[in-house]
Amino acid sequence: AGILGFLLVAAYLGWLGVSQIRSGFWKHQMAERARKKSLSESWEEIRQARVDSPEELAAFYKKASEVLRALATEKIGRGEGLTGPEIEAELRKAAGGSTGMLGRESATERQASAIGSLLGQCDLVRYTPDGLDVGRRNHAEFLRKFGELADHRN
């Protein structure tokens, strides 16, 4: 009877442990799905944003900057107040400096570089006197690069 009781308690504790692990796994999966959906929605919002007026163009780059900083914050825990190059460096550090095969840049390093570069462009447009003119000229290329980043994140 003692062994049977012990086995029942052990089985219950095992079931409880597995339930907790599965619950945590599903919570993580649901959070990941929500993040991907949010990124997709943000990408669509940015892609479809009108940029006919200076105000719309400024709002476009502000929204893009917010999305990029949110992506960086997922990896490094912070993104506000850092420049594009600083965020890129932090992302590379968080990735552990891993390189791909044959010493090529890894996907994580390419994403760090893309986020840093795009944030630098956002800051240039938003904070320099002729930034809106630069932003208007580079808008199509910015969208292309941002789209590539969004595709690789999904």
Side-chain angles (χ1 to χ4, degrees), residues 2 22-23 28 33 40 46 56 64 71-73 87-88 93 99 107 115 117 121 129 141 151-152 154:
R22 287 184 69 209
S23 174
H28 174 74
R33 284 187 192 134
S40 295
I46 288 168
E56 291 171 335
L71 289 174
T73 299
I87 285 178
E88 180 179 345
K93 190 183 336 175
T99 55
I115 290 172
S117 172
Q121 290 178 43
E141 181 66 12
D151 289 345
H152 290 238
N154 287 328

Side-chain angles (χ1 to χ4, degrees), residues 58 120-135 137:
Q121 290 178 43
C122 289
D123 290 347
L124 176 79
V125 170
R126 295 175 64 209
Y127 302 119
T128 60
D130 63 342
L132 289 176
D133 292 332
V134 172
R137 283 193 309 270

Side-chain angles (χ1 to χ4, degrees), residues 27-37 74 153:
K27 286 179 186 175
H28 174 74
Q29 288 293 95
M30 295 304 290
E32 182 67 13
R33 284 187 192 134
R35 184 198 60 76
K36 285 183 177 183
K37 182 179 179 186
E74 284 181 3
R153 295 281 304 175

Side-chain angles (χ1 to χ4, degrees), residues 82-136:
L82 299 177
T83 66
E86 290 169 336
I87 285 178
E88 180 179 345
E90 289 292 321
L91 287 168
R92 287 178 184 271
K93 190 183 336 175
S98 61
T99 55
M101 292 179 58
L102 304 175
R104 293 187 181 144
E105 194 174 49
S106 71
T108 304
E109 288 177 317
R110 284 192 301 276
Q111 287 178 350
S113 179
I115 290 172
S117 172
L118 290 169
L119 274 171
Q121 290 178 43
C122 289
D123 290 347
L124 176 79
V125 170
R126 295 175 64 209
Y127 302 119
T128 60
D130 63 342
L132 289 176
D133 292 332
V134 172
R136 187 171 309 285

